[in-house]
Amino acid sequence: MPLEVSDAISNAPEQIKFAAEALCRSDIAFKVFDAIYKGKKKAKTVEEIVGKTKLTRKQVLTHGNRLAQKHIVKQIGKYGNIAYEKIDFFYPHKREILRLAKDPKKREAYTTKRNPKSGSSGFVNIRIQTKRTRTEQITVDDIGSFKKIGKVATSKHIPNTVSERKFKRGIKNILGEHGEFKDWGGEKNDLYTTRLRMDGKRRVVAFAFKGPGTRGKLVPGKLGKNGDQIQRLFEADADVFIIQYWRDIAESVIQQMFQLAIAKSAMTGRKVSYGIIDGYDSNRIFKAYRKKF
């Protein structure tokens, strides 16, 4: 079955501009977008948007549907119970999108600075025959290098006192990796090594660590300055890709990893494994291998 991949994250500046241009043409669309993305509530019903904007129900439905068709919001429900849901990528960029939508000069300057392709909508659609790809979602319990965690259970996240640097050093020690990996803004990954063991074999793995300084559930928009860290992670020449965080990780992170794993497998012809290590599993590793940290 073909899979269509919308590569929004890898083109973050273009996506931001794309959304701003969709709003600048209509004050109603601007108000609908603002109402949907205001506050922490994931989704807003049509009635809630009407109440916040003083628009008519027909206006909200018309422009809400247009935004949904452009993948700027997600429409959920049906018939009399329609609601519009935030897209994880756009939520942290809401203010920037609204600012650009209001000011044509800033939009033009933004375009020149990022140098996007002329006429591009910002979406890249890739059709892949998924039957020809080999991917698997893994957990820490599938990784032989972390076999000691099988005896460890916990109901708590890893403590904030364990810094990202300390956790990364601990993982390096567990894997027996002695190379130096210095952080910088454009790196593809935080740790790249050939010393991970799975199913009795060594595998090449790329890790991305998101430290305790990040707040709330981890979503794609919080990964990287432009929300493109997952895409950059999968640019590494590896077969296993892992994202680690101190708290909970949203399903949308896994969904994006799945899409990129399929694309990676299609391009390389190799089996690609991917997974997350949330706060609970991070704590299990920390407890099982405390001396390594």
Side-chain angles (χ1 to χ4, degrees):
M1 180 179 76
L3 175 75
E4 192 169 86
V5 179
S6 181
D7 191 8
I9 304 304
S10 65
N11 295 289
E14 288 80 4
Q15 292 302 322
I16 292 168
K17 177 176 177 290
F18 175 73
E21 288 183 335
L23 303 182
C24 74
R25 300 186 180 97
S26 168
D27 290 339
I28 297 176
F30 186 99
K31 291 178 181 179
V32 171
F33 175 88
D34 188 27
I36 293 170
Y37 279 86
K38 183 168 290 184
K40 296 182 178 180
K41 191 174 181 181
K42 181 71 172 177
K44 304 280 179 62
T45 64
V46 172
E47 286 69 26
E48 287 175 319
I49 299 170
V50 168
K52 290 180 179 295
T53 62
K54 308 304 179 184
L55 298 170
T56 66
R57 178 180 173 83
K58 182 178 180 181
Q59 287 175 318
V60 171
L61 283 169
T62 298
H63 290 274
N65 289 344
R66 288 175 183 173
L67 292 176
Q69 289 170 2
K70 294 178 180 179
H71 306 285
I72 296 172
V73 301
K74 180 180 179 182
Q75 181 176 313
I76 58 177
K78 57 183 179 179
Y79 306 122
N81 298 312
I82 291 176
Y84 296 101
E85 189 175 86
K86 297 179 177 74
I87 301 293
D88 286 335
F89 167 76
F90 289 116
Y91 181 54
H93 301 292
K94 173 200 165 184
R95 290 184 180 179
E96 186 175 11
I97 291 168
L98 293 176
R99 178 176 60 84
L100 292 174
K102 290 180 180 179
D103 193 328
K105 290 184 179 179
K106 288 182 179 179
R107 284 199 306 278
E108 184 177 355
Y110 190 88
T111 300
T112 302
K113 182 178 179 181
R114 297 300 192 276
N115 193 27
K117 295 181 180 179
S118 176
S120 171
S121 68
F123 286 93
V124 178
N125 293 317
I126 306 169
R127 294 183 66 82
I128 296 172
Q129 293 294 331
T130 57
K131 289 182 179 179
R132 299 178 183 177
T133 62
R134 293 179 297 152
T135 65
E136 65 171 345
Q137 183 178 344
I138 61 173
T139 70
V140 289
D141 295 278
D142 298 316
I143 299 174
S145 299
F146 301 145
K147 60 184 178 182
K148 288 185 180 180
I149 68 169
K151 300 178 181 179
V152 178
T154 182
S155 59
K156 295 182 179 180
H157 292 132
I158 188 170
N160 283 344
T161 52
V162 181
S163 67
E164 180 179 331
R165 179 177 294 182
K166 183 175 182 178
F167 191 85
K168 176 179 173 179
R169 183 173 67 245
I171 295 296
K172 285 178 57 181
N173 290 337
I174 293 169
L175 299 180
E177 175 58 64
H178 303 293
E180 291 297 325
F181 299 85
K182 295 183 179 180
D183 292 336
W184 62 285
E187 78 270 18
K188 293 180 180 178
N189 52 75
D190 295 314
L191 176 61
Y192 179 85
T193 178
T194 63
R195 290 177 170 81
L196 186 83
R197 297 198 70 86
M198 284 179 56
D199 301 324
K201 298 179 181 179
R202 284 176 61 165
R203 302 281 297 277
V204 183
V205 61
F207 284 91
F209 301 107
K210 200 65 179 176
T214 301
R215 302 299 180 187
K217 182 176 288 188
L218 187 66
V219 297
K222 294 180 180 180
L223 283 156
K225 185 177 180 180
N226 293 317
D228 62 352
Q229 190 173 359
I230 303 178
Q231 191 272 340
R232 286 190 284 114
L233 177 69
F234 275 81
E235 290 176 2
D237 187 13
D239 301 315
V240 183
F241 300 88
I242 297 174
I243 292 176
Q244 182 271 338
Y245 179 51
W246 267 243
R247 296 291 177 264
D248 296 328
I249 300 177
E251 183 182 355
S252 53
V253 171
I254 285 289
Q255 290 172 343
Q256 191 177 130
M257 294 181 77
F258 168 63
Q259 292 176 347
L260 291 168
I262 289 177
K264 188 77 172 182
S265 179
M267 288 187 291
T268 63
R270 303 194 302 256
K271 181 180 179 180
V272 175
S273 304
Y274 64 97
I276 60 171
I277 302 176
D278 63 8
Y280 297 106
D281 282 335
S282 295
N283 202 19
R284 290 174 67 202
I285 294 173
F286 179 64
K287 286 186 173 183
Y289 296 91
R290 190 177 293 270
K291 292 182 179 180
K292 298 290 186 179
F293 292 84

CSV table of all heavy atoms in Angstrom, one decimal, residues 37 46 89-90 98 101 125 148 162 203 211 215 225 250 292-293:
chain,number,residue,atom,x,y,z
A,37,TYR,N,-5.9,27.9,18.0
A,37,TYR,CA,-4.6,27.8,18.6
A,37,TYR,C,-4.4,28.5,19.9
A,37,TYR,O,-3.3,28.4,20.6
A,37,TYR,CB,-3.5,28.2,17.6
A,37,TYR,CG,-3.2,27.1,16.6
A,37,TYR,CD1,-3.9,27.0,15.4
A,37,TYR,CD2,-2.2,26.1,16.8
A,37,TYR,CE1,-3.7,26.0,14.5
A,37,TYR,CE2,-1.9,25.1,15.9
A,37,TYR,CZ,-2.7,25.1,14.8
A,37,TYR,OH,-2.4,24.1,13.8
A,46,VAL,N,-16.9,24.0,16.9
A,46,VAL,CA,-17.3,25.1,16.1
A,46,VAL,C,-18.0,26.2,17.0
A,46,VAL,O,-17.8,27.4,16.8
A,46,VAL,CB,-18.3,24.7,15.0
A,46,VAL,CG1,-18.9,25.9,14.2
A,46,VAL,CG2,-17.5,23.8,13.9
A,89,PHE,N,3.0,20.7,15.1
A,89,PHE,CA,4.1,21.5,14.5
A,89,PHE,C,3.8,23.0,14.6
A,89,PHE,O,4.6,23.8,15.0
A,89,PHE,CB,4.3,21.1,13.0
A,89,PHE,CG,5.2,22.1,12.4
A,89,PHE,CD1,6.6,22.1,12.6
A,89,PHE,CD2,4.7,23.1,11.5
A,89,PHE,CE1,7.4,23.1,12.0
A,89,PHE,CE2,5.5,24.0,10.9
A,89,PHE,CZ,6.9,24.0,11.1
A,90,PHE,N,2.5,23.4,14.3
A,90,PHE,CA,2.2,24.8,14.2
A,90,PHE,C,2.0,25.5,15.6
A,90,PHE,O,2.2,26.7,15.7
A,90,PHE,CB,1.0,25.0,13.4
A,90,PHE,CG,1.2,24.8,11.9
A,90,PHE,CD1,0.5,23.7,11.2
A,90,PHE,CD2,2.0,25.6,11.1
A,90,PHE,CE1,0.7,23.5,9.9
A,90,PHE,CE2,2.2,25.3,9.8
A,90,PHE,CZ,1.5,24.3,9.2
A,98,LEU,N,1.1,34.4,13.0
A,98,LEU,CA,0.2,35.5,13.1
A,98,LEU,C,0.9,36.8,12.8
A,98,LEU,O,0.4,37.7,12.1
A,98,LEU,CB,-0.5,35.6,14.5
A,98,LEU,CG,-1.4,34.4,14.8
A,98,LEU,CD1,-1.9,34.6,16.2
A,98,LEU,CD2,-2.6,34.4,13.8
A,101,ALA,N,1.5,37.0,9.1
A,101,ALA,CA,0.3,37.1,8.4
A,101,ALA,C,-0.2,38.6,8.4
A,101,ALA,O,-0.8,39.1,7.4
A,101,ALA,CB,-0.8,36.3,9.0
A,125,ASN,N,5.3,15.6,-1.1
A,125,ASN,CA,4.6,14.3,-1.0
A,125,ASN,C,5.4,13.2,-1.6
A,125,ASN,O,5.9,13.3,-2.8
A,125,ASN,CB,3.3,14.4,-1.7
A,125,ASN,CG,2.3,15.4,-1.0
A,125,ASN,OD1,2.3,15.4,0.3
A,125,ASN,ND2,1.6,16.2,-1.7
A,148,LYS,N,19.8,-5.3,31.5
A,148,LYS,CA,19.6,-5.3,33.0
A,148,LYS,C,18.3,-4.6,33.4
A,148,LYS,O,17.9,-4.8,34.6
A,148,LYS,CB,20.8,-4.6,33.7
A,148,LYS,CG,22.1,-5.3,33.6
A,148,LYS,CD,23.2,-4.6,34.4
A,148,LYS,CE,24.5,-5.3,34.4
A,148,LYS,NZ,25.5,-4.6,35.2
A,162,VAL,N,19.3,14.6,37.1
A,162,VAL,CA,20.1,13.9,36.1
A,162,VAL,C,20.1,14.8,34.9
A,162,VAL,O,19.1,14.8,34.1
A,162,VAL,CB,19.6,12.5,35.8
A,162,VAL,CG1,20.5,11.8,34.8
A,162,VAL,CG2,19.5,11.7,37.1
A,203,ARG,N,24.5,-3.0,16.1
A,203,ARG,CA,23.7,-2.1,15.2
A,203,ARG,C,24.2,-0.7,15.3
A,203,ARG,O,24.7,-0.2,16.3
A,203,ARG,CB,22.2,-2.2,15.5
A,203,ARG,CG,21.6,-3.6,15.5
A,203,ARG,CD,21.3,-4.0,14.1
A,203,ARG,NE,20.3,-3.2,13.5
A,203,ARG,CZ,19.0,-3.3,13.7
A,203,ARG,NH1,18.5,-4.2,14.5
A,203,ARG,NH2,18.1,-2.5,13.0
A,211,GLY,N,16.6,17.2,27.1
A,211,GLY,CA,16.8,17.2,28.5
A,211,GLY,C,15.7,17.7,29.3
A,211,GLY,O,14.6,18.1,28.8
A,215,ARG,N,9.8,21.6,28.9
A,215,ARG,CA,8.6,21.4,29.7
A,215,ARG,C,7.5,20.7,29.0
A,215,ARG,O,7.3,20.8,27.8
A,215,ARG,CB,8.1,22.8,30.2
A,215,ARG,CG,9.1,23.6,31.0
A,215,ARG,CD,9.6,22.8,32.3
A,215,ARG,NE,10.6,23.6,33.0
A,215,ARG,CZ,11.2,23.1,34.0
A,215,ARG,NH1,11.0,21.9,34.5
A,215,ARG,NH2,12.1,23.9,34.7
A,225,LYS,N,15.2,23.9,17.1
A,225,LYS,CA,14.8,25.2,17.0
A,225,LYS,C,13.6,25.4,16.0
A,225,LYS,O,12.7,26.2,16.2
A,225,LYS,CB,16.0,26.1,16.7
A,225,LYS,CG,15.6,27.6,16.7
A,225,LYS,CD,16.9,28.4,16.4
A,225,LYS,CE,16.6,29.9,16.4
A,225,LYS,NZ,17.8,30.7,16.1
A,250,ALA,N,4.7,12.4,23.1
A,250,ALA,CA,3.5,12.4,22.4
A,250,ALA,C,3.5,11.3,21.3
A,250,ALA,O,4.6,11.0,20.7
A,250,ALA,CB,3.1,13.7,21.8
A,292,LYS,N,27.2,3.5,35.9
A,292,LYS,CA,27.7,4.0,34.6
A,292,LYS,C,27.5,5.5,34.5
A,292,LYS,O,28.0,6.2,33.6
A,292,LYS,CB,27.0,3.3,33.5
A,292,LYS,CG,27.2,1.8,33.4
A,292,LYS,CD,28.6,1.5,33.0
A,292,LYS,CE,28.8,0.0,32.8
A,292,LYS,NZ,30.2,-0.4,32.4
A,293,PHE,N,26.6,6.0,35.4
A,293,PHE,CA,26.3,7.5,35.3
A,293,PHE,C,27.1,8.3,36.3
A,293,PHE,O,27.0,9.5,36.4
A,293,PHE,CB,24.8,7.7,35.6
A,293,PHE,CG,23.9,7.1,34.5
A,293,PHE,CD1,23.5,5.8,34.5
A,293,PHE,CD2,23.4,8.0,33.5
A,293,PHE,CE1,22.7,5.3,33.5
A,293,PHE,CE2,22.6,7.5,32.5
A,293,PHE,CZ,22.2,6.1,32.5
